[in-house]
Each structure stands twice: as structure tokens, then as C-alpha cells.
């Protein structure tokens, strides 16, 4: 089996005994990308030379530091294209940033590099991370590795597909309303959105600043914990990043589910789930009970307003964040523009895709005089109610579980002309985002051959606990098989 399909701990051990080198791992990844990614479309840019240089450096470091080297030293990773990488073009999958080569690196990416991880390149996503299918990328489609006629989810679809297909053992994504958890569920891998403020947003191209969070995609919960503890923690460059020290998830990771009370929100399983998703979720619940967990119904009554509130708050913040995109130094330009206004209008007209324009218009409207109180303020009030629901629920249970997405991966094109249907994909992930709590998605099984994800959430800053429960769920349910395509590929 390919090294890249094995847990990071096994790769790390093999790197230390000399059974494999970082250069060999990276060449294997580059080979698989060359073989599979033409059809998959997970990467926007593969940084071959940089990856080879970093791998050679990691091999030297492993030779010198041996067991003392960080556990990610020499491990290849992929990066969502909304995270800035010094010297490597970063577009957020938007035309308006075509040709933008950042002069600095995002903190999360820098921390991986400092730990010796090797960056393979930048992954496709929805433009500015707005979407649930990666179809809003201005550059290319990404296909689901389990079914090439279906979406990988979004917005971090390229990162999810890369890990599912074994092109990289881990990838970074971002989650504002579900963009790590939903594609992880649809591609059958693990995704983890840490507590808001746990991972620095420095160098992340902002979508909705009060919600955006960086986190990992991996094949296992243990791997997610390894990436998480490397990227988490205070950063003087991001004032919204919490100064609290990070609790290491590794010592408690394998404690299992015995005696844990897991809350199942009545509102999330009552209706609206595809029958296949419902079946997989119910079967998973039985296995969690068999593994020693106690399931308890909990109620999150404000949840029914969460999606509507999110689609006011996120576009409002996006409309102000995107006001900086002037198209003056990169992007499609505006030949013939004389005034600044002509330049701005022209560059934005050519540079932004339809969904981004829709969000800017929604957000600008919601913030405008006379409508602010009716929409933005009310949405913020709903946000508080949603957070209070979670607070109350967590007083009685150790974690909350729910399906991640109401459906399995849908067909390419199916929801493109119906924005509300697309927004519905986030109905089960958005409430956790509004509350700012940590949440993971773990593979729960297959419905008609397509992956279904189970979401695990814990109170704010109980990230280590969330990962422990996610790992316990994973052990109870069995680690998901990679898609056929990944198993068939060489080596
Ligand atoms: N699909 C949601 C949206 O379009 C969430 C996106 C995200 O988390 N970045 O806003």
C-alpha cells in the first residue's frame, strides 16, 4: 500500500528508522499527483521544486535530530489556496487575485514548515471559500474521488479530495460555516475545525472574520490531532487568536468512549436527512453505544434560524473584507480605464465570479442604513441564542454528535443554479460555526457507495477533548477505506 495512505505515525516512524525518506515520500506524492490529479483537479499549483528542496532539508534534519525531530518532519502536506505562501502564487481561486505572489506566509503554513513538513502545493476551493461544492472556483472543477461525476464538497474541496485520493496524507483547509467538515464528510476523510481563535488567521485571505478558522484534513483522528497541535496556539500577528496555551491532544487521544455522554440534537435528526444518511447515522449510534458511550437527546431550538443568520453575517463580513480587492496590482486589470472608479468597477466585474458578487450584494444590503437593524443586528441576536443553546446542552453532555451533511455528495452542476439548495448543504455545520465551538467530521460509513460523515462537537477550547471523542468514534466505527481510485493507483 502507498505510504501516503498510512497513518502519519507510521510514516513518522518509518522516516526515523530510515525505512523511507522524505524525498521518497514526496516523490511518491508527486508521482500520484501526476497520475491522478489530471482527472481529479485537486491542485491549482504543484510546487515541485520547493517540495524537493524541503524534502532534502527534512532528510538532513532527520539524520541530525533523529527521534528529537518534530513528528511532522518530512511529511508531505497540501495547502488550500486561501492561505498565503511567500513566493508561491495564492489566488483564493479567484481571478481578481491572479498573479498575486504573497510576500509572507500564513502562520499555520509557517508552523508546518518549521516542523519540517513539506508543502506539495496549493489546493482548489470555491472562490474566496464561498460555496459548498468547489464549483465556484474560477479555475477548475474538482471531482469526488469516490465518484467522478460528483462534487467533493466545499469550499475546501481540493484539500479533501487530495487526502481522500492519497495525493497527500494531510492538508490544510478553512472552515467558516462548514468548509472543512462538509467536504471531509463527502470525501470520506477526517476534517477538524478548531475552536474559533485557536489557530491564527494571519495570512489567511479573509472571508468572514468572526467565523473563519484554519484546520486539518487527514485520514485518521490521530493524524488530525498531530496537525492541530502543530498549527494551534497564540500568535501576536492575529489579535483574535487566543492567548491561552494549547492543550496537547495526544495524551488523552486514545481514552475511548467508555462512560461518555454524547448528546444527539433532536432538531438535527428529525427531518431533512436523506434516507441513506439517516440509516448510516443510526447504525453508527448503535456502535457508539456498543463502545460504551451513552446517547442522550439534547435540544438546540434556535438551530432552525442558524442558517438564515449565517447567510446575513457571513456575506456582511465578506462585503467589507472584499472591499480591498481593487485589481490594481494583479488580477485581470482594466485596459482603457481612465478614472479610479472605472478601474475598480472593471476589475471587479472581470475579477469576481457570480457567487462572490451575490455575497457582496447581500452583505452590502444587510449593512446599509435602514436595513442594518432589521438584518445584521437581528442575525447577531440569533447568533447569541444559538451559542446559548450549545452552552446549555454542553452542561449535560460531554460532546454532541450529529450527521455532518444532510446528503451524500451531489452531482456536479446539480445545485449550481439554485443558491438556496447549495446553502442547505451547510444546515448541520453552520450552527457550530456560529457558536465558535470545535467540531470534527469522521467517516461513519457508506450510503449507496458514497461516504457519510459524523460530526463531533465539544465546548469552546475543549479541542483536545473533541479530538479524543472523534478518535473514539473512529475506533468504534472502523477507519474508512480509501476510494478504489486511490487503492488502484501506483505504487
Ligand atoms: N458553504 C458555506 C458558505 O458558502 C461555508 C463556506 C466556508 O465554510 N468557507 O458560506
Amino acid at each position: 500500500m502507498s505510504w501516503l495512505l498510512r497513518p502519519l505515525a507510521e510514516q513518522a516512524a518509518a522516516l526515523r528508522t530510515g525505512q523511507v525518506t522524505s524525498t521518497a515520500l514526496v516523490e511518491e506524492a508527486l508521482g500520484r499527483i501526476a497520475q491522478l490529479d489530471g482527472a481529479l483537479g485537486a491542485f491549482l499549483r504543484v510546487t515541485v521544486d520547493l517540495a524537493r528542496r524541503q524534502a532534502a532539508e527534512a532528510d538532513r534534519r532527520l539524520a541530525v535530530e533523529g527521534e528529537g525531530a518534530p513528528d511532522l518532519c518530512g511529511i508531505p502536506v497540501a495547502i488550500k489556496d486561501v492561505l498565503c505562501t511567500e513566493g508561491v502564487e495564492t489566488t483564493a481561486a479567484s481571478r481578481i487575485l491572479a498573479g498575486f505572489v504573497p510576500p509572507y506566509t500564513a502562520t499555520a503554513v509557517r508552523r508546518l514548515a518549521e516542523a519540517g513538513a513539506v508543502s506539495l502545493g496549493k489546493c482548489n476551493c470555491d472562490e474566496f471559500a464561498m460555496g459548498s461544492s468547489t464549483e465556484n472556483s474560477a479555475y477548475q472543477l474538482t471531482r469526488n474521488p469516490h465518484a467522478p461525476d460528483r462534487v467533493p464538497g466545499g469550499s475546501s474541496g481540493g484539500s479533501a479530495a487530495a487526502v481522500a485520493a492519497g495525493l497527500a496524507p494531510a492538508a490544510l483547509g478553512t472552515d467558516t460555516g462548514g468548509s472543512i467538515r462538509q467536504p471531509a464528510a463527502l470525501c470520506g476523510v477526517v476534517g477538524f475545525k478548531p475552536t474559533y481563535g485557536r489557530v491564527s488567521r494571519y495570512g489567511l485571505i479573509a472571508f468572514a472574520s468572526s467565523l473563519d478558522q484554519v484546520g486539518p484534513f487527514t485520514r485518521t483522528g490521530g493524524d488530525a490531532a498531530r496537525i492541530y497541535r502543530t498549527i494551534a496556539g497564540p500568535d501576536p500577528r492575529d489579535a483574535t487568536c487566543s492567548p491561552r496555551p494549547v492543550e496537547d491532544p495526544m495524551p488523552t487521544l486514545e481514552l475511548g468512549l467508555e462512560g461518555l455522554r454524547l448528546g444527539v440534537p433532536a432538531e438535527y435528526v428529525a427531518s431533512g436527512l436523506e434516507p441513506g444518511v439517516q440509516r448510516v447515522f443510526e447504525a453508527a449510534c448503535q456502535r457508539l453505544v456498543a463502545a460504551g458511550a451513552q446517547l442522550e437527546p439534547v435540544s438546540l431550538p434556535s438551530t432552525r434560524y442558524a442558517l438564515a443568520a449565517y447567510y446575513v453575517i457571513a456575506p456582511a463580513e465578506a462585503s467589507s473584507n472584499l472591499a480591498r480587492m481593487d485589481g490594481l496590482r494583479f488580477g485581470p486589470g482594466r485596459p482603457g480605464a481612465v478614472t479610479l472608479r472605472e478601474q475598480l468597477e472593471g476589475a471587479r466585474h472581470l475579477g469576481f465570479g457570480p457567487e462572490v458578487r451575490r455575497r457582496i450584494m447581500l452583505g452590502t444590503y444587510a449593512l446599509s442604513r435602514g436595513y442594518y437593524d432589521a438584518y445584521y443586528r437581528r442575525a447577531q441576536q440569533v447568533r447569541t441564542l444559538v451559542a446559548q443553546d450549545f452552552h446549555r446542552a454542553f452542561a449535560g453532555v460531554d460532546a454532541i454528535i450529529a450527521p455532518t451533511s444532510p446528503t451524500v455528495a451531489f452531482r456536479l452542476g446539480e445545485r449550481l443554479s439554485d443558491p438556496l439548495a447549495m446553502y442547505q448543504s451547510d444546515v448541520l455545520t453552520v450552527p457550530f460555526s456560529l457558536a465558535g465551538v470545535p467540531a470534527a467530521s469522521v467517516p461513519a460509513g457508506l450510503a449507496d457507495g458514497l461516504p457519510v460523515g459524523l460530526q463531533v462537537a465539544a465546548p469552546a477550547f475543549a479541542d483536545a477533548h473533541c479530538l479524543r471523542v472523534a478518535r473514539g468514534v473512529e475506533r468504534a466505527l472502523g477507519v474508512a477505506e480509501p476510494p478504489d481510485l486511490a487503492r488502484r493507483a501506483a505504487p
Side-chain angles (χ1 to χ4, degrees):
M1 179 167 62
S2 164
W3 277 109
L4 303 172
L5 294 170
R6 300 190 209 185
L8 288 185
E10 278 180 37
Q11 296 182 44
L15 283 165
R16 275 157 191 73
T17 57
Q19 211 183 335
V20 71
T21 60
S22 177
T23 299
L25 281 183
V26 166
E27 290 305 330
E28 190 182 321
L30 294 174
R32 289 175 70 86
I33 292 169
Q35 187 188 356
L36 298 175
D37 204 41
L40 212 54
F43 281 88
L44 286 172
R45 234 158 283 112
V46 184
T47 47
V48 176
D49 295 340
L50 177 68
R52 288 188 170 138
R53 268 203 316 278
Q54 288 183 335
E57 178 55 35
D59 283 329
R60 275 193 295 277
R61 188 165 168 189
L62 285 160
V64 175
E65 295 178 27
E67 288 297 331
D71 58 354
L72 297 182
C73 189
I75 303 285
V77 295
I79 310 291
K80 184 180 184 182
D81 204 34
V82 290
L83 289 156
C84 287
T85 41
E86 184 182 346
V88 176
E89 190 187 12
T90 301
T91 64
S94 180
R95 292 218 183 280
I96 206 156
L97 286 178
F100 170 47
V101 179
Y104 59 95
T105 295
T107 296
V109 178
R110 185 171 50 76
R111 289 195 175 150
L112 288 179
E114 283 170 0
V118 175
S119 177
L120 295 168
K122 308 298 290 285
C123 288
N124 196 27
C125 54
D126 285 300
E127 184 175 6
F128 289 109
M130 297 173 190
S132 308
S133 67
T134 310
E135 292 166 294
N136 295 334
S137 166
Y139 297 104
Q140 66 193 34
L141 284 179
T142 300
R143 293 173 187 278
N144 190 308
H146 291 264
D149 60 335
R150 290 177 187 260
V151 303
S155 65
S156 316
S159 301
V163 172
L167 308 183
L172 289 187
T174 58
D175 191 311
T176 303
S179 279
I180 292 176
R181 291 160 285 158
Q182 185 257 21
L186 270 45
C187 288
V189 295
V190 173
F192 179 50
K193 178 198 91 75
T195 301
Y196 177 76
R198 192 63 292 190
V199 179
S200 169
R201 293 185 295 112
Y202 177 75
L204 164 63
I205 297 171
F207 163 12
S209 306
S210 76
L211 295 156
D212 295 342
Q213 198 43 208
V214 182
F217 287 93
T218 51
R219 308 200 67 78
T220 72
D223 293 358
R226 287 187 161 78
I227 303 281
Y228 161 74
R229 68 170 179 173
T230 305
I231 61 174
D235 180 10
R237 288 174 162 146
D238 174 4
T240 63
C241 190
S242 169
R244 287 193 198 206
V246 177
E247 188 190 344
D248 185 356
M250 300 320 280
T252 50
L253 195 65
E254 302 295 341
L255 289 181
L257 299 178
E258 191 67 56
L260 289 187
R261 290 158 310 160
L262 303 181
V264 184
E267 294 82 358
Y268 289 37
V269 288
S271 64
L273 297 181
E274 246 173 30
V277 172
Q278 178 96 35
R279 259 197 317 276
V280 170
F281 182 70
E282 281 167 7
C285 285
Q286 283 174 10
R287 296 181 66 173
L288 301 185
V289 170
Q294 227 173 292
L295 300 192
E296 287 175 24
V298 293
S299 177
L300 301 168
S302 300
T303 280
R304 50 197 285 237
Y305 308 112
L307 196 66
Y310 171 86
Y311 276 97
V312 171
I313 294 168
E317 294 182 13
S319 70
S320 41
N321 276 326
L322 293 183
R324 76 188 63 154
M325 300 294 160
D326 55 21
L328 284 171
R329 281 150 295 176
F330 16 79
R334 177 64 171 102
V338 178
T339 64
L340 180 63
R341 192 186 176 98
E342 276 172 14
Q343 154 65 31
L344 288 178
E345 283 179 359
R348 288 173 181 167
H349 180 74
L350 296 172
F352 287 140
E355 182 60 28
V356 173
R357 275 188 246 169
R358 179 163 27 238
R359 303 278 177 117
I360 292 172
M361 286 190 285
L362 282 172
T364 311
Y365 182 77
L367 290 176
S368 57
R369 198 155 94 176
Y371 296 103
Y372 180 93
D373 284 333
Y375 295 108
Y376 190 70
R377 187 188 303 276
R378 260 192 112 69
Q380 291 290 17
Q381 287 166 339
V382 170
R383 183 176 188 169
T384 302
L385 294 177
V386 170
Q388 286 170 350
D389 274 5
F390 279 101
H391 204 71
R392 261 195 307 274
F394 280 128
V397 294
D398 298 299
I400 289 177
I401 60 165
T404 308
S405 159
T407 69
V408 294
F410 43 95
R411 289 207 158 73
L412 287 161
E414 193 179 300
R415 298 193 185 170
L416 264 185
S417 56
D418 185 351
L420 287 183
M422 193 70 96
Y423 298 172
Q424 283 293 333
S425 311
D426 310 319
V427 67
L428 301 174
T429 48
V430 150
F432 301 91
S433 304
L434 289 178
V437 300
S441 179
V442 177
L446 299 177
D448 298 326
L450 294 166
V452 173
L454 187 144
Q455 206 172 185
V456 175
F461 293 100
D463 297 78
H465 175 68
C466 186
L467 286 161
R468 169 220 167 156
V469 179
R471 172 73 186 126
V473 167
E474 169 179 86
R475 267 169 46 191
L477 302 182
V479 178
E481 285 290 313
D484 278 351
L485 159 146
R487 274 175 286 163
R488 280 199 316 265

